[in-house]
Short mmCIF file of all heavy atoms in Angstrom, two decimals:
data_model
loop_
_atom_site.label_atom_id
_atom_site.label_comp_id
_atom_site.label_asym_id
_atom_site.label_seq_id
_atom_site.Cartn_x
_atom_site.Cartn_y
_atom_site.Cartn_z
N TRP A 134 -6.21 7.64 19.49
CA TRP A 134 -5.38 6.47 19.50
C TRP A 134 -6.16 5.26 19.21
O TRP A 134 -5.68 4.24 18.58
CB TRP A 134 -4.60 6.33 20.91
CG TRP A 134 -3.33 7.22 20.93
CD1 TRP A 134 -3.12 8.17 21.75
CD2 TRP A 134 -2.30 7.08 20.02
NE1 TRP A 134 -1.91 8.68 21.46
CE2 TRP A 134 -1.30 8.11 20.36
CE3 TRP A 134 -1.97 6.32 18.93
CZ2 TRP A 134 -0.12 8.33 19.71
CZ3 TRP A 134 -0.66 6.54 18.28
CH2 TRP A 134 0.18 7.44 18.71
N PRO A 148 0.74 1.05 17.73
CA PRO A 148 1.36 2.33 17.88
C PRO A 148 1.89 2.43 19.32
O PRO A 148 1.58 1.62 20.18
CB PRO A 148 0.29 3.38 17.76
CG PRO A 148 -0.97 2.64 18.15
CD PRO A 148 -0.69 1.14 17.82
N VAL A 149 2.75 3.47 19.63
CA VAL A 149 3.27 3.65 20.98
C VAL A 149 2.30 4.55 21.73
O VAL A 149 2.59 5.64 22.08
CB VAL A 149 4.64 4.22 20.90
CG1 VAL A 149 5.33 4.38 22.22
CG2 VAL A 149 5.50 3.23 20.00
N ASN A 150 1.12 4.06 21.92
CA ASN A 150 0.05 4.83 22.57
C ASN A 150 0.06 4.75 24.12
O ASN A 150 0.73 3.99 24.66
CB ASN A 150 -1.39 4.39 22.03
CG ASN A 150 -1.54 2.89 22.41
OD1 ASN A 150 -0.96 2.07 21.78
ND2 ASN A 150 -2.29 2.56 23.35
N GLY A 151 -0.69 5.63 24.62
CA GLY A 151 -0.82 5.69 26.07
C GLY A 151 -1.99 4.91 26.73
O GLY A 151 -2.54 4.02 26.01
N VAL A 158 -3.99 11.53 18.96
CA VAL A 158 -2.61 11.18 18.54
C VAL A 158 -1.70 12.39 18.61
O VAL A 158 -0.53 12.32 19.09
CB VAL A 158 -2.59 10.54 17.19
CG1 VAL A 158 -1.13 10.32 16.65
CG2 VAL A 158 -3.40 9.28 17.16
N TYR A 161 -0.86 14.34 22.20
CA TYR A 161 -0.08 13.36 23.00
C TYR A 161 1.35 13.30 22.50
O TYR A 161 2.30 13.42 23.30
CB TYR A 161 -0.75 11.98 22.85
CG TYR A 161 -0.04 10.69 23.34
CD1 TYR A 161 -0.36 10.23 24.59
CD2 TYR A 161 0.89 10.02 22.54
CE1 TYR A 161 0.29 9.03 25.06
CE2 TYR A 161 1.48 8.92 22.89
CZ TYR A 161 1.21 8.34 24.17
OH TYR A 161 1.80 7.18 24.49
N THR A 162 1.49 13.15 21.16
CA THR A 162 2.88 13.05 20.59
C THR A 162 3.68 14.31 20.72
O THR A 162 4.82 14.31 20.93
CB THR A 162 2.76 12.48 19.13
OG1 THR A 162 1.93 11.35 19.22
CG2 THR A 162 4.09 12.17 18.51
N LEU A 163 3.00 15.46 20.51
CA LEU A 163 3.69 16.77 20.57
C LEU A 163 4.25 16.98 21.96
O LEU A 163 5.25 17.63 22.17
CB LEU A 163 2.73 17.87 20.18
CG LEU A 163 2.26 17.92 18.74
CD1 LEU A 163 1.40 19.15 18.43
CD2 LEU A 163 3.56 17.96 17.69
N GLY A 165 5.56 14.45 23.80
CA GLY A 165 6.41 13.37 24.07
C GLY A 165 5.57 12.07 23.79
O GLY A 165 5.73 11.41 22.94
N GLY A 166 4.63 11.83 24.80
CA GLY A 166 3.77 10.68 24.66
C GLY A 166 4.44 9.47 25.37
O GLY A 166 5.25 8.61 24.87
N LEU A 167 4.02 9.29 26.68
CA LEU A 167 4.51 8.18 27.48
C LEU A 167 3.63 7.02 27.34
O LEU A 167 2.47 7.01 27.87
CB LEU A 167 4.64 8.64 28.94
CG LEU A 167 5.01 7.59 29.96
CD1 LEU A 167 6.44 7.10 29.59
CD2 LEU A 167 5.08 8.24 31.42
N GLY A 168 4.05 6.03 26.65
CA GLY A 168 3.09 4.83 26.33
C GLY A 168 3.20 3.78 27.27
O GLY A 168 4.00 3.65 28.17
N GLY A 171 6.34 2.08 27.13
CA GLY A 171 7.32 3.12 27.04
C GLY A 171 8.77 2.58 27.28
O GLY A 171 9.73 2.98 26.64
N PHE A 174 9.78 0.75 24.06
CA PHE A 174 9.87 1.53 22.79
C PHE A 174 10.10 2.98 22.79
O PHE A 174 10.08 3.73 21.80
CB PHE A 174 8.53 1.21 22.02
CG PHE A 174 8.32 -0.27 21.71
CD1 PHE A 174 7.38 -1.05 22.39
CD2 PHE A 174 9.24 -0.91 20.78
CE1 PHE A 174 7.28 -2.28 22.07
CE2 PHE A 174 9.07 -2.23 20.43
CZ PHE A 174 8.10 -2.98 21.09
N GLY A 175 10.23 3.57 23.98
CA GLY A 175 10.61 5.01 24.17
C GLY A 175 9.32 5.79 24.05
O GLY A 175 8.16 5.25 24.16
N TYR A 176 9.49 7.08 23.76
CA TYR A 176 8.29 7.97 23.70
C TYR A 176 7.74 7.90 22.40
O TYR A 176 8.41 7.60 21.31
CB TYR A 176 8.72 9.40 23.95
CG TYR A 176 8.98 9.76 25.48
CD1 TYR A 176 10.32 9.68 25.97
CD2 TYR A 176 7.95 9.93 26.37
CE1 TYR A 176 10.53 9.85 27.33
CE2 TYR A 176 8.30 10.24 27.67
CZ TYR A 176 9.51 10.13 28.14
OH TYR A 176 9.74 10.33 29.52
N ALA A 177 6.40 8.25 22.18
CA ALA A 177 5.80 8.29 20.86
C ALA A 177 6.50 9.16 19.87
O ALA A 177 6.59 8.86 18.73
CB ALA A 177 4.32 8.65 21.06
N SER A 178 6.98 10.27 20.36
CA SER A 178 7.66 11.23 19.62
C SER A 178 8.90 10.73 18.92
O SER A 178 9.38 11.14 17.81
CB SER A 178 7.99 12.54 20.24
OG SER A 178 8.72 12.31 21.39
N ASP A 179 9.55 9.62 19.58
CA ASP A 179 10.73 9.03 18.96
C ASP A 179 10.38 8.26 17.66
O ASP A 179 11.35 7.88 16.90
CB ASP A 179 11.24 7.92 19.97
CG ASP A 179 11.76 8.55 21.38
OD1 ASP A 179 11.99 9.86 21.26
OD2 ASP A 179 11.87 7.93 22.29
N HIS A 180 9.14 7.95 17.42
CA HIS A 180 8.76 7.18 16.30
C HIS A 180 8.23 8.04 15.11
O HIS A 180 7.82 7.49 14.04
CB HIS A 180 7.75 6.15 16.72
CG HIS A 180 8.25 5.08 17.64
ND1 HIS A 180 8.70 3.93 17.30
CD2 HIS A 180 8.42 5.27 19.06
CE1 HIS A 180 9.16 3.35 18.46
NE2 HIS A 180 9.07 4.13 19.41
N VAL A 181 8.18 9.32 15.35
CA VAL A 181 7.64 10.15 14.22
C VAL A 181 8.57 10.28 13.09
O VAL A 181 9.74 10.49 13.25
CB VAL A 181 7.29 11.60 14.81
CG1 VAL A 181 6.78 12.51 13.71
CG2 VAL A 181 6.18 11.46 15.86
N ARG A 182 8.05 10.18 11.89
CA ARG A 182 8.85 10.26 10.65
C ARG A 182 8.67 11.71 9.93
O ARG A 182 9.59 12.27 9.47
CB ARG A 182 8.53 9.20 9.63
CG ARG A 182 8.46 7.81 10.19
CD ARG A 182 9.88 7.12 10.10
NE ARG A 182 9.81 5.86 10.65
CZ ARG A 182 9.58 4.64 10.03
NH1 ARG A 182 9.19 4.63 8.81
NH2 ARG A 182 9.59 3.55 10.66
N LEU A 209 8.97 17.42 18.43
CA LEU A 209 8.86 16.10 19.07
C LEU A 209 9.11 16.14 20.56
O LEU A 209 10.14 15.87 21.07
CB LEU A 209 9.87 15.13 18.42
CG LEU A 209 9.72 15.10 16.91
CD1 LEU A 209 10.82 14.12 16.38
CD2 LEU A 209 8.33 14.73 16.41
N PHE A 223 4.15 8.15 11.53
CA PHE A 223 5.05 7.62 12.59
C PHE A 223 5.16 6.07 12.40
O PHE A 223 4.35 5.41 11.84
CB PHE A 223 4.47 7.97 13.88
CG PHE A 223 3.06 7.62 14.09
CD1 PHE A 223 2.60 6.47 14.69
CD2 PHE A 223 2.07 8.50 13.83
CE1 PHE A 223 1.23 6.13 14.83
CE2 PHE A 223 0.63 8.27 13.94
CZ PHE A 223 0.33 7.04 14.42
N GLY A 224 6.17 5.54 12.97
CA GLY A 224 6.45 4.08 12.95
C GLY A 224 5.60 3.31 13.94
O GLY A 224 5.13 3.83 14.97
N LEU A 379 13.13 4.86 27.30
CA LEU A 379 12.66 6.23 27.50
C LEU A 379 13.91 7.19 27.68
O LEU A 379 13.78 8.42 27.53
CB LEU A 379 11.80 6.40 28.73
CG LEU A 379 10.44 5.60 28.49
CD1 LEU A 379 9.74 5.46 29.86
CD2 LEU A 379 9.55 6.42 27.60
N VAL A 386 11.97 15.83 24.23
CA VAL A 386 11.39 15.44 25.54
C VAL A 386 12.38 15.70 26.65
O VAL A 386 13.60 15.38 26.52
CB VAL A 386 11.03 13.91 25.52
CG1 VAL A 386 10.51 13.42 26.80
CG2 VAL A 386 10.18 13.57 24.35
#
Side-chain angles (χ1 to χ4, degrees):
W134 278 121
V149 182
N150 58 285
V158 171
Y161 168 98
T162 306
L163 295 180
L167 177 60
F174 297 110
Y176 287 95
S178 57
D179 299 337
H180 297 263
V181 174
R182 309 272 176 90
L209 307 180
F223 51 93
L379 294 164
V386 178

